[in-house]
Amino acid sequence: MSAPTLRRGTLGTADIAFFVISAAAPLTVMAGVAPVALMLGGIGAPVGYLLAGITLAVFAVGFTTMSRHVRSDGAFYAYITRGFGIPVGIAAALIAMLGYNGMEIGVYGLLGSATADTSHALWGIDVPWLPVSLLGLALIWYGGFRSIDFGAKVLGVLLVAETGILVLLAGGVLLDGGASEGLSLSSFSPGNVLVPGTAAVLACAFAAFTGFESTVIYRREARNPERTVPRATYIAVAFLGFFYAFVVWAVIQAFGEEKVVQAAADDPGGLFFSAITAYVGPWAADLMHILIVTSVLASLLAFHNAINRYALALAEEGVLPAVLGRIHPRHRSPYVAGAAQTVLGAVVVIGFAAAGADPYAQLLLWVNTPGMIGLMALQLLAAVAVLLFFRRIPHGEGALRTVVAPLAAAVLLTGAIGLVSYNVELFTGASTGVNVLLVSLVPAVFLLGLLLARRLKRRRPEVYASFAAEPSDAPEGPPETVPAAAL
């Protein structure tokens, strides 16, 4: 009897988009980070989200074009291998594991603190964060253990709920006409956008899109992946970019352009709750408290599923232990990889708790930051890989998709990484020494990956040679997809 495999042809465009948008946690990003963007960039902050969305849409042009030529399940590292060669591809695989694990595990701290805040705000009960985070680990493990279509249904419901409450807030503001001076589009005027704080706003905005590129991770489980994967990618980028900008603009109208920055500075954590209380009602603020918790759970489940599939692919490559490649015979999920990821998360969470760390200021921010920078570095490598890949093979794709878009994306992403790294204290609130350590983790892991590649080439040449290879049922392609000099 053949070994079980992932469910093929299960996910449609909407399902994949749910996974990607849920990972971004729109409600949490808006209520938790957008007030900071307003404090730093003033009323021009909505444009920062549009600019970030445009940059990532440009990246998606080359990325999705290349997806028609790469059928490997390795997602980012497969693309990077095609462009740069096996050593850089293996290093990219390690950065992907750092990035996705960092983005998920840190959020268990946010789950604990957000639940504690919600419990205190609604019922006056002080709940310790660690048991909540551990319960969250168990719930997310179960969600990943079940079939992928089960996860898609759960995320669909949670995503509709969290975006719905933000639409309710914006609708209340628009129907009431905003603050006393009325509605205005001044947020989009150059004079309010071209201000010193815009760079910091852009750093916050790029962080709000983290994980959007994970559409390709679900290629094996997608229906007609040549169409569903690109469509889901564009839908995710467009939705997040426009929705973020619209919601932030609506909150500006709620307080008025003259007062919103001070209101954000006075109570950043309560800005959105104050707005929805004033324009919709106290019941809506209570509901928003609850939906922030479910928003965090949705983000955790989305990242957990992505990590499991990366681990599965690397186990099938022979880079990670083969046991991580086992698939559940009934649910057809990478259940061993999911259990291992849950154990890793528990170790990190308990370790931070034992050290007396704050679940938000340290567990979330310190663990998320290298994860975020790692995923942005992968986007940059992938953009350059598109250029190198299409220079090497015969193809019928246009220059706009294979040269102009990936080159523009590489330039823009380089600037984005520079902005995030330069403004890293916005994300960590830590000392210079801690910030240097967190930012340095990404190049350190990249170097470790190059060393691992060298070791594999010497000791396990068959694993090295077949790394990120196309599946055996792939159609015949160009004779050279990995640069010979990089082998």
Side-chain angles (χ1 to χ4, degrees):
M1 186 174 64
S2 60
T5 61
L6 296 176
R7 294 184 189 274
R8 293 185 179 274
T10 299
L11 302 177
T13 299
D15 298 320
I16 298 173
F18 283 152
F19 276 104
V20 175
I21 297 171
S22 295
L27 176 56
T28 304
V29 165
M30 288 289 92
V33 181
V36 177
L38 285 167
M39 285 190 290
L40 297 170
I43 64 171
V47 177
Y49 292 94
L50 289 177
L51 293 175
I54 291 169
T55 297
L56 296 176
V58 171
F59 165 78
V61 170
F63 183 61
T64 56
T65 300
M66 191 171 172
S67 73
R68 296 198 287 264
H69 300 259
V70 177
R71 297 184 62 203
S72 169
D73 296 323
F76 260 151
Y77 74 73
Y79 289 67
I80 293 167
T81 300
R82 295 293 185 279
F84 285 94
I86 291 174
V88 177
I90 292 174
L94 292 195
I95 291 180
M97 294 302 290
L98 169 72
Y100 282 100
N101 274 290
M103 289 304 299
E104 192 212 17
I105 294 173
V107 176
Y108 283 109
L110 177 59
L111 176 64
S113 63
T115 303
D117 291 344
T118 295
S119 176
H120 183 80
L122 298 185
W123 306 293
I125 301 172
D126 293 320
V127 176
W129 72 269
L130 180 59
V132 174
S133 296
L134 295 178
L135 177 60
L137 278 157
L139 290 173
I140 298 306
W141 164 80
Y142 179 74
F145 173 75
R146 291 291 302 272
S147 61
I148 191 67
D149 49 333
F150 171 83
K153 291 181 176 67
V154 171
L155 290 179
V157 172
L158 297 181
L159 182 62
V160 169
E162 67 174 298
T163 55
I165 196 71
L166 290 171
V167 170
L168 184 64
L169 164 60
V173 173
L174 294 180
L175 289 174
D176 201 55
S180 57
E181 59 266 36
L183 303 177
S184 169
L185 295 177
S186 297
S187 289
F188 304 96
S189 67
N192 290 318
V193 175
L194 302 176
V195 297
T198 299
V201 172
L202 285 170
C204 294
F206 276 104
F209 286 81
T210 304
F212 88 93
E213 73 297 319
S214 60
T215 49
V216 293
I217 295 174
Y218 302 100
R219 180 184 180 89
R220 204 192 308 188
E221 296 157 289
R223 295 194 295 269
N224 193 1
E226 285 74 17
R227 291 187 177 185
T228 54
V229 169
R231 285 176 180 173
T233 304
Y234 285 119
I235 288 171
V237 173
F239 175 82
L240 290 173
F242 286 111
F243 189 67
Y244 286 153
F246 170 67
V247 172
V248 175
W249 172 80
V251 168
I252 292 171
Q253 306 314 302
F255 289 90
E257 294 175 351
E258 300 297 326
K259 298 179 180 178
V260 67
V261 175
Q262 188 59 50
D266 291 341
D267 185 15
L271 187 73
F272 274 66
F273 296 102
S274 297
I276 201 168
T277 298
Y279 287 91
V280 181
W283 66 269
D286 293 343
L287 181 58
M288 181 178 281
H289 274 291
I290 294 170
L291 292 178
I292 281 181
V293 176
T294 62
S295 170
V296 174
L297 285 169
S299 178
L300 285 166
L301 180 57
F303 274 115
H304 181 70
N305 277 300
I307 294 164
N308 294 350
R309 281 148 184 79
Y310 255 115
L312 171 66
L314 288 171
E316 292 174 340
E317 301 273 14
V319 175
L320 292 179
V323 67
L324 296 177
R326 292 182 182 175
I327 295 174
H328 195 274
R330 178 185 175 189
H331 299 302
R332 310 285 281 275
S333 61
Y335 71 107
V336 177
Q341 202 281 328
T342 300
V343 170
L344 174 62
V347 169
V348 174
V349 168
I350 293 172
F352 270 78
D358 183 87
Y360 182 91
Q362 292 169 312
L363 175 54
L364 171 67
L365 299 182
W366 290 12
V367 177
N368 263 193
T369 297
M372 173 183 63
I373 295 173
L375 293 184
M376 294 181 73
L378 284 176
Q379 292 169 7
L380 173 58
L381 287 171
V384 178
V386 173
L387 278 170
L388 299 177
F389 175 76
F390 283 113
R391 284 187 59 190
R392 186 175 302 110
I393 67 166
H395 61 86
E397 309 286 358
L400 177 64
R401 292 177 172 271
T402 60
V403 178
V404 177
L407 180 61
V411 172
L412 293 169
L413 285 167
T414 299
I417 293 172
L419 286 174
V420 170
S421 299
Y422 181 77
N423 293 282
V424 70
E425 71 279 357
L426 295 177
F427 303 101
T428 66
S431 65
T432 301
V434 171
N435 288 334
V436 170
L437 175 63
L438 296 176
V439 174
S440 299
L441 281 175
V442 174
V445 169
F446 185 82
L447 177 60
L448 180 63
L450 296 179
L451 295 175
L452 174 61
R454 183 176 180 180
R455 179 185 176 88
L456 283 174
K457 184 176 183 180
R458 185 174 66 252
R459 299 194 175 185
R460 303 174 66 193
E462 71 287 352
V463 171
Y464 179 87
S466 62
F467 183 78
E470 290 291 272
S472 58
D473 61 342
E476 290 294 326
E480 182 185 14
T481 56
V482 177
L487 295 175

